Amino acid sequence: MLHAASFPPQLSPPPLQAGDTLQLLDDPQEWSAFSRSLDPENDRWESSVVIEGMHCAACSLTVEDALMRVPGVLSAQVGAGSHRAKVVWSAGMVKPSDWMRAVQDSGYRTVPANDVFASERRKAETRKALWQWLVAGLCMMQVMMYAYPAYVALPGDLTGEMEQLLRWASWVLTLPVVLFSCGPFFRNALRDIVQMRVSMDLPVALGMVITFCVSTAGTFDPQGTFGKEVYFDSLTMFVFFLLTGRWLELRLRDRTAGSLEALMNRLPDSVERLQGGEFARVAARRVVVDDILRVHPGETFVADGLVELGDTRVDEALLTGESLPLARGVGSQVLSGSHNLSGTVHVRVQKVRTDTRFAQIVALMESASASKPQGALLADRLAKPFLIAVLVAAAGACAWWWGADPSHALMVAVAVLVVTCPCALSLATPAAMLASAGTLARGGVLVRRLQALEALSRVDTVVFDKTGTLTEDSAVLASVQTRNGITHEQALAMGAALAQHSLHPASRALVAAAKKGSGCEEIWQCASAVETPGAGLAGELRLLSDATGHDHSMRLGSARHCGLTDTVDAGLQVYLVDAQGLLATFELAEALRPEAIPALTVLKEAQVQVQMLSGDSTPSVQRVAEQAGIGLARGGCTPQDKLGVLVDLQTQGNTVCMVGDGLNDGPVLAGANVSFAFGRAVPLAQAQADFVALGGNLMAIAQSILLARRTMAIVRQNLWWALAYNAACIPLAVVGWLPAWAAGLGMATSSLIVVMNALRLSRRLSLEPSH
């Protein structure tokens, strides 16, 4: 990848595709900037790139065909809505410059997805589109002013010389529109003709050329075949309307893809690294494990690491879904891609580049942006045949009307060419899907496959794992039973003194409970303890207020460890014994996540059945199920048992969503109709889920299902609108009742309605319980 530091600030960077620049990307050291290794043994790589110059579904198919014709390219997928491509290639057979040049030869431009100049080029494209729109609008108003007298004049009001003068003035004002504003349509159409293919710009450009040529002939030869009427007003109007729709689509597409763009361009190009006792700025790609980096407020961490000096607050909103700034001090971990907000810190690097959580998140989002839902695949397949049918229909309409009036026949053909352009149909599905994926990403939910949104919208059963999903990762103290003469506070103080020497979840629960309820005036101390893994602890305790300094031998742990042969371990009980026998029994409970009950309530209100499957003991599972209000729960399940339950549910006709930790539940997640890998510690690279919930908030699961239902409702609305629009306008155009300017207005408006309807999905997810 090329970095901004490579060029002096006063100079413009060379285009990525110019000259020998593509050869720079053949250096294996550059591949990690836009690719990741899929199979090191066979040297297979997956690259994520942006395709510039695309405008429709037919364009995406053209790019895919160009890529697949290159030997060594194993697969290619191009998203028409996101303009992103995912290319899998073999480094032993092909280099990046080869398949990028193939795309270039087909008339498009390929740039790495995180190219630092892509944003500048996109801004330049937007500015040029705005100028073309302004020129078309200004000329349209002037042409309409000159055309108006011809519409309202009565016979004899306009002399032949005056009418001819108005035609010449309109022709002169139409030239800037044709030569400048129509440029994108003509360039794309010429590219199609040279490549012997068809895209949505070809019929539109053909209509513009026909209209201008007919009107020009009428201007130069008023007594000729086409001299009866000119159509400069119609031409400038439908060019203006088409450019209006295209410019707004460009702005709305950039807004829809904003989450991915913001995430991918989050890392800086350079960073301060300690070398030779001093900090020097180096390229971010040269950072390696164990480097010491200095990160100032306002900068972004380029690698995962531990803070070695300083304190600060960081913003991890796009990485974990946590909206509030988080405190980070010495020994705390910071994530690549998070923002340093308040203080300068020194960080020792632990993971770099593709090993970081940031890189894994970006890979997931890139994969989703290039994927195609089933509806979009169908639209893509139909795009080219439909466009060919449009050309045939226009020719047929022209032939039908030619005998009556050649000029009118050509304008009927123009109206058919313009009004039938299937832009709205091709945008209907991907626009809504990408808007929904962007909203989920801002809420801390990553979409691995856009197709999964369709399945998620049909979910009627959600199956949860228990530990770490419905419950917190740690247990809590529920109750304490003691022998006579010992208070609960005394027993807890003794147990916590022993438990502080262990990292076992049960020990941590006792220590946390003792700190929270410090109502005991006695202070017990345990200088050392011996831990038996999986069983418990043994040690000597001393009461600090005891002047005799007498030690008390105690054990903490399971019934067997404590020598309680008559007691059966219940799994969530911890025993404390001394020389006299059983001193206390600590009943532990798994803490239900605070948002679990509100999230389950939302699911039930949405007519979604909730079940729980867990490998834990049945009493433990039933206890949590009662707390959460789940009627169907099973414990003691192996992964095979869980998969069997899922298959049974699917056999009964249910659409099942599985929510688990993404690692232990891998086979079950893969077997469900749709699945979520849940939790902050989800191993993103290995998770076999369709969605990854980063923030550890169960409300995100419920809101994702509701958003998926809204998404598919909007997709259906878009499709019905696009079909109804074409069904209504095509007959009107064929019979000659739809003028060219109205056809252009209808085409632009239909596409705009589809995109704006999809943007209704862009409202941020609400992860707070409703009151």
Side-chain angles (χ1 to χ4, degrees):
M1 175 182 153
L2 300 178
H3 293 272
S6 304
F7 304 98
Q10 69 272 19
L11 298 179
S12 298
L16 186 61
Q17 301 275 5
D20 297 329
T21 310
L22 279 180
Q23 302 298 329
L24 297 176
L25 298 178
D26 288 343
D27 184 353
Q29 293 185 355
E30 299 288 344
W31 294 353
S32 61
F34 61 97
S35 308
R36 64 188 182 100
S37 177
L38 292 181
D39 185 358
E41 293 184 3
N42 297 316
D43 215 5
R44 290 173 58 238
W45 290 75
E46 180 185 87
S47 298
S48 179
V49 293
V50 174
I51 308 297
E52 296 182 347
M54 281 178 43
H55 293 289
C56 64
C59 294
S60 67
L61 289 180
T62 298
V63 175
E64 286 181 358
D65 292 342
L67 287 168
M68 291 306 298
R69 285 196 296 266
V70 178
V73 173
L74 306 178
S75 68
Q77 199 170 32
V78 182
S82 63
H83 293 200
R84 292 180 179 271
K86 182 172 64 177
V87 185
V88 178
W89 49 282
S90 172
M93 299 176 63
V94 67
K95 298 298 181 186
S97 63
D98 297 330
W99 51 263
M100 286 187 176
R101 190 170 290 107
V103 174
Q104 184 179 3
D105 292 342
S106 67
Y108 303 90
R109 180 166 49 195
T110 306
V111 296
N114 54 353
D115 176 45
V116 294
F117 304 126
S119 178
E120 294 301 321
R121 283 194 298 274
R122 190 171 61 253
K123 290 179 181 178
E125 178 187 2
T126 304
R127 283 194 297 269
K128 186 174 182 181
L130 181 59
W131 273 110
Q132 290 168 334
W133 174 75
L134 290 172
V135 169
L138 179 63
C139 293
M140 176 197 70
M141 290 187 291
Q142 297 300 315
V143 170
M144 286 297 299
M145 184 175 66
Y146 292 136
Y148 180 73
Y151 285 113
V152 299
L154 297 175
D157 287 351
L158 282 178
T159 64
E161 292 81 2
M162 179 60 69
E163 185 175 359
Q164 188 64 13
L165 179 61
L166 292 176
R167 287 189 178 187
W168 275 104
S170 297
W171 181 79
V172 171
L173 287 169
T174 304
L175 283 177
V177 177
V178 173
L179 298 178
F180 177 64
S181 298
C182 295
F185 302 103
F186 290 158
R187 281 194 300 272
N188 295 335
L190 181 61
R191 180 187 62 201
D192 290 342
I193 294 172
V194 171
Q195 300 285 340
M196 300 184 66
R197 62 171 186 256
V198 60
S199 74
M200 295 183 190
D201 280 341
L202 182 59
V204 171
L206 190 59
M208 293 174 181
V209 170
I210 292 174
T211 306
F212 183 71
C213 290
V214 168
S215 300
T216 299
T219 302
F220 280 81
D221 185 12
Q223 306 304 320
T225 304
F226 302 108
K228 181 180 178 181
E229 191 174 358
V230 294
Y231 305 94
F232 294 119
D233 52 339
S234 295
L235 173 60
T236 54
M237 283 181 70
F238 81 69
V239 170
F240 174 74
F241 292 142
L242 292 179
L243 289 176
T244 300
R246 182 157 293 188
W247 184 74
L248 289 174
E249 284 175 32
L250 187 65
R251 294 295 304 271
L252 295 175
R253 187 192 76 215
D254 290 342
R255 175 180 167 185
T256 300
S259 296
L260 180 58
E261 197 73 30
L263 191 64
M264 293 186 60
N265 295 330
R266 204 171 173 87
L267 297 186
D269 297 309
S270 62
V271 66
E272 292 186 10
R273 181 177 66 181
L274 182 64
Q275 48 189 29
E278 296 182 354
F279 284 96
R281 188 160 288 276
V282 299
R285 58 180 176 168
R286 300 190 181 278
V287 172
V288 297
V289 174
D290 282 336
D291 277 350
I292 302 295
L293 307 179
R294 182 168 64 185
V295 184
H296 299 285
E299 294 183 343
T300 301
F301 296 98
V302 300
D304 293 353
L306 292 178
V307 177
E308 291 208 338
L309 179 65
D311 295 283
T312 188
R313 300 183 75 82
V314 300
D315 175 11
E316 296 182 355
L318 284 179
L319 301 175
T320 65
E322 178 57 63
S323 58
L324 298 177
L326 304 173
R328 293 291 182 263
V330 175
S332 300
Q333 186 180 45
V334 292
L335 298 178
S336 170
S338 60
H339 275 311
N340 184 12
L341 298 178
S342 58
T344 299
V345 291
H346 293 184
V347 176
R348 181 175 293 277
V349 175
Q350 291 181 311
K351 295 179 180 179
V352 295
R353 289 179 284 279
T354 56
D355 293 331
T356 64
R357 189 172 180 83
F358 171 82
Q360 296 169 4
I361 291 174
V362 168
L364 289 180
M365 295 185 71
E366 285 176 339
S367 176
S369 66
S371 64
K372 295 183 181 181
Q374 293 300 317
L377 288 172
L378 178 61
D380 287 358
R381 285 195 296 269
L382 295 178
K384 287 188 176 181
F386 184 83
L387 289 170
I388 294 173
V390 166
L391 296 175
V392 173
C398 182
W400 175 266
W401 285 97
W402 188 267
D405 185 349
S407 178
H408 180 67
L410 287 173
M411 294 313 297
V412 168
V414 169
V416 173
L417 288 171
V418 174
V419 80
T420 53
C421 186
C423 290
L425 194 61
S426 67
L427 286 170
T429 301
M433 293 287 192
L434 287 171
S436 182
T439 300
L440 288 173
R442 290 191 295 274
V445 179
L446 299 185
V447 183
R448 290 178 66 100
R449 289 173 285 274
L450 288 180
Q451 299 96 315
L453 284 168
E454 299 179 34
L456 188 62
S457 68
R458 299 192 300 269
V459 163
D460 54 25
T461 304
V462 177
V463 178
F464 288 94
D465 182 37
K466 179 178 71 70
T467 306
T469 302
L470 283 173
T471 64
E472 299 280 9
D473 294 329
S474 58
V476 295
L477 181 64
S479 63
V480 182
Q481 300 174 11
T482 63
R483 71 183 180 211
N484 292 334
I486 303 294
T487 66
H488 290 184
E489 291 77 12
Q490 288 174 326
L492 186 56
M494 298 176 195
L498 263 176
Q500 66 183 348
H501 293 277
S502 170
L503 295 176
H504 190 276
S507 298
R508 293 204 305 268
L510 291 181
V511 173
K515 290 180 179 178
K516 182 178 179 181
S518 55
C520 179
E521 297 181 356
E522 295 182 353
I523 300 177
W524 291 83
Q525 186 179 54
C526 179
S528 64
V530 176
E531 182 175 12
T532 303
L537 301 115
E540 301 290 326
L541 274 69
R542 177 179 300 178
L543 183 61
L544 293 185
S545 59
D546 187 355
T548 63
H550 179 66
D551 289 335
H552 301 264
S553 296
M554 294 191 183
R555 284 178 172 266
L556 177 74
S558 65
R560 177 176 295 182
H561 176 73
C562 294
L564 303 175
T565 55
D566 297 333
T567 303
V568 178
D569 280 313
L572 286 175
Q573 289 182 336
V574 177
Y575 304 95
L576 178 66
V577 298
D578 60 5
Q580 301 178 34
L582 180 62
L583 190 149
T585 300
F586 302 102
E587 185 83 23
L588 301 180
E590 291 178 293
L592 204 63
R593 289 182 179 273
E595 77 282 359
I597 293 179
L600 296 178
T601 301
V602 170
L603 289 174
K604 293 173 183 177
E605 290 175 350
Q607 305 301 313
V608 176
Q609 181 184 1
V610 178
Q611 298 190 22
M612 181 170 60
L613 300 176
S614 176
D616 290 353
S617 63
T618 299
S620 172
V621 171
Q622 292 298 331
R623 191 161 36 244
V624 172
E626 290 176 5
Q627 294 177 26
I630 298 176
L632 298 172
R634 289 181 54 180
C637 295
T638 64
Q640 291 74 21
D641 294 335
K642 294 181 181 179
L643 194 57
V645 173
L646 254 64
V647 171
D648 290 342
L649 288 170
Q650 292 167 336
T651 303
Q652 297 168 15
N654 295 303
T655 302
V656 183
C657 172
M658 178 69 194
V659 184
D661 62 12
L663 185 60
N664 299 328
D665 297 315
V668 191
L669 295 178
N673 297 96
V674 63
S675 55
F676 281 83
F678 181 82
R680 296 180 184 272
V682 171
L684 299 179
Q686 290 82 27
Q688 298 298 312
D690 301 300
F691 299 87
V692 178
L694 299 174
N697 191 327
L698 282 172
M699 190 62 74
I701 310 296
Q703 293 295 338
S704 296
I705 293 176
L706 298 181
L707 182 63
R709 292 181 177 181
R710 288 178 51 214
T711 300
M712 295 314 299
I714 284 181
V715 166
R716 288 189 290 271
Q717 292 170 10
N718 285 349
L719 289 173
W720 276 112
W721 162 255
L723 293 171
Y725 156 77
N726 279 282
C729 292
I730 290 175
L732 294 177
V734 170
V735 300
W737 292 352
L738 191 69
W741 66 265
L745 177 61
M747 173 190 165
T749 302
S750 64
S751 299
L752 194 57
I753 287 175
V754 163
V755 175
M756 294 189 70
N757 193 33
L759 282 179
R760 292 165 53 203
L761 298 166
S762 296
R763 290 192 294 270
R764 190 178 182 90
L765 286 183
S766 174
L767 301 183
E768 298 297 327
S770 58
H771 298 284

